Amino acid sequence: MKAIFTAEVNCRDCHKCVRICPVKAIGIENGHAQLIEESCIHCGHCVKECPREAKQILNQTDKFRLAKQQGKKVALSLAPSFISAFPEYTYAQIVKMLHRAGFNYVQETAVGAEIVSYAYKKELEKANKPLISACCPVVVSLIEKYYPTLVENISPTRSPMLVHVDILRKKYGPDVFIAFAGPCIGKFYEAEEYPENIDMVMTFEQLKTMLEKVKYAVDDPDVPMEEREAYGNARFFPIRGGIIKSFMSNEETDPDIFSVSGITDCIEMFDNLLKGEINPRFIEAMACQTGCIAGPGMVKERTKCRPVSRMNVIKFATLAPTKLDNHDKLMPLIKRSFRSKNLLRPKPTEEQILEILHKIGKNSPEDENNCGACGYNTCREKAIATFQGLAEPDMCIPYMRSKAESFANLIVNSSMEAIIVINNQLIVQEFNRIAEKFFNIKKQDILGRTLLEIIDCSDIVEAIKNNKRCELYAKNFPQYSKSLDIRIMPIVENELAVIIFKDVTDVELSKQELLNMKLNTIDRATAIINKQMSVAQEIAGLLGETTADTKFALLELVKVLGSKGEK
C-alpha cells in the first residue's frame, strides 16, 4: 500500500520534497519525484510542503461508504487532536455530526492512550536502559530503518490507536467496520499490520469533507453518549510533553526525562544517544513539530496556528478528570515487537563519486557549490544519490545553467550574422564572433561599454523606446565599408535588446553593378533608336513622294475608267 502518491501532472522539477525529506526517501525519475517506499518513514513532510499539491494522501473513505451499503455497523476511533482540527465544535456536536454521517459508535482514541500511559509507567519502573515511546509510527519507522541498534529501546507497547481499536473490536464483534480518524499518515501503515482490528484510516482533512455535509446535525437533539469519555490526562497525548504528563509529574527540566518533537530533533536526539552523550530514562519522541497537532493530515487551515491548537488540547483535557486506572490484566495483550529494517543502499567508491561529479562539471572541490538547489545538502550527497538511482544529473541547477549558457553561446557564436545584446542604456552585454569581425573590435574591449562608441544608435533607441521590433535594410556604414540589414528586437521583461546584423555589402554591390549595366544598356539602346529613327525618317521622306505620285496617277486612271463606263 502507498499512502502517499505523486500526481505527476502537478510535479514540476522544484525538488522541494527532496530538499525537505529528512531521510532523502524521494527519488527523481524523468523529472518527477517518487517516494521510495522501503526508505520512507511516512512523516508527510513532502505532502505538507509541496507547493503544487503533487504529493497526495490515500483516501479510503470509499470503504466506509461500501460498509454502509452492506448494512454494517461502523465504529470510529477519534484521535485526541480532533479538538484542534475542529475547534468550532464541542465534542458533543462532533459526535452528533458523526452519527448523522453514518457512524454508529464514536469514541476518543484517548481511551486507548489511558492504557498505554499505564504501560509506560510500569515499563519505566523496571527499565534498565533508555525507553523510547512507541506511540508515533513515524518515530518507530525512523528507528527501525535508520537506527536499528535502538530498536531494543522502543517500548514494546502498541500505540493508542491499536490498543483502542482492539477494545472496539472485542466490544462490538468481528462484523463491525472499524475506522480511525487522525492527523497522521503513518497510521495507514500501522493499520496495515493489524488488518484484523482496523478496516480504514482517514485524515482529519478527509473527515472534514464528511462533516461539512452534515453540519446541520449540530442542532439535532442530544445524542446519547454511548461510549464513555477519556480521562483528561490521556487527552494530552497529541501535544509535546503530553505523553509524559499523562503518567508522571516530572517537568521537562528533568535530566532523565526527555521530550522531543520534529524529525530533525528526533534524529539529533538518537545520534546523541548512540554516541553516549545522553542517557535518559525515558524519551517521548514525536515526529511532528509540537506534536500530532501539526500532523500532515490535520485540517489545512489549522496547521499554521499550533499555539492555538496546543491551547485547545489543554483546555479540552482539563474538562475531564485525571485518572490512571490499573490495567495489569491488559499488559500482555498490548505487547508489540519491533524489528530492524536496516536499509542496505549501495555505496559508491570515491572514484565513482568523482566520476559522477565530473559529469556535471564538478572537477575540483572549488566547483562543488553545495547550493542545495537539487534537494541534497552537498554535491557529494547528490552524487551518491545519483549512484543509488535516486537522483538525476539534470537536477544540478548550476550545471544545467552552465550547460544552457554553453549551448546558447555555441549557437550565438556559430551564427553567420553579427549578434549584439545591449541593455536599455545601450551597454553591450553580448558580442559574438561575427560582430567582432564586422566592427573591428574584440568582445572583451566592448563588453560593458556603450554601443554608441562603434555605431549610430538612433534607430535602436527609437525601437527600444517604442518597444517595437523593427527591420532596417541595407543601412550603410561607410566607416566599416559595409551595408548591413538590421533587426532590432527589444526584450522588455529583461530590459534588453537583441540586434542582429546581416552583411549585405556584396549583394548591394551586385545590385549597383546590375543597375549600372542596365543604365549603360539603356543609353546604348537610346542612341541606336535615335539613329534608326533618323534613317527611317529619310527613307520615309523619299517613299512618301513616290507613293503620292503613284496614288495620284491611279486615282486619275480610275476616274477615267469610271467616266467611260457611264457612256
Side-chain angles (χ1 to χ4, degrees), residues 370-381:
N370 300 326
C371 64
C374 63
Y376 293 90
N377 295 325
T378 67
C379 296
R380 290 180 69 83
E381 279 187 28

Side-chain angles (χ1 to χ4, degrees), residues 86 88-89 93-94 96-98 100-101 207-220 301-302:
F86 309 105
E88 63 271 35
Y89 303 116
Q93 288 175 326
I94 291 174
K96 286 181 185 180
M97 289 189 289
L98 289 171
R100 184 57 67 95
L207 182 62
K208 175 190 172 187
T209 302
M210 299 176 67
L211 293 180
E212 285 177 343
K213 298 176 182 178
V214 291
K215 281 184 177 180
Y216 59 87
V218 296
D219 298 323
D220 283 357
E301 56 264 33
R302 304 299 177 197

Side-chain angles (χ1 to χ4, degrees), residues 132 139 142-143 147 150 266-274:
I132 302 173
V139 168
L142 174 68
I143 294 173
Y147 295 91
L150 294 180
C266 286
I267 289 173
E268 184 177 351
M269 175 76 74
F270 298 150
D271 285 339
N272 292 340
L273 186 60
L274 285 177

Side-chain angles (χ1 to χ4, degrees), residues 15-28:
H15 306 152
K16 187 170 185 178
C17 56
V18 179
R19 193 155 43 250
I20 56 92
C21 179
V23 293
K24 297 295 179 277
I26 295 177
I28 303 296

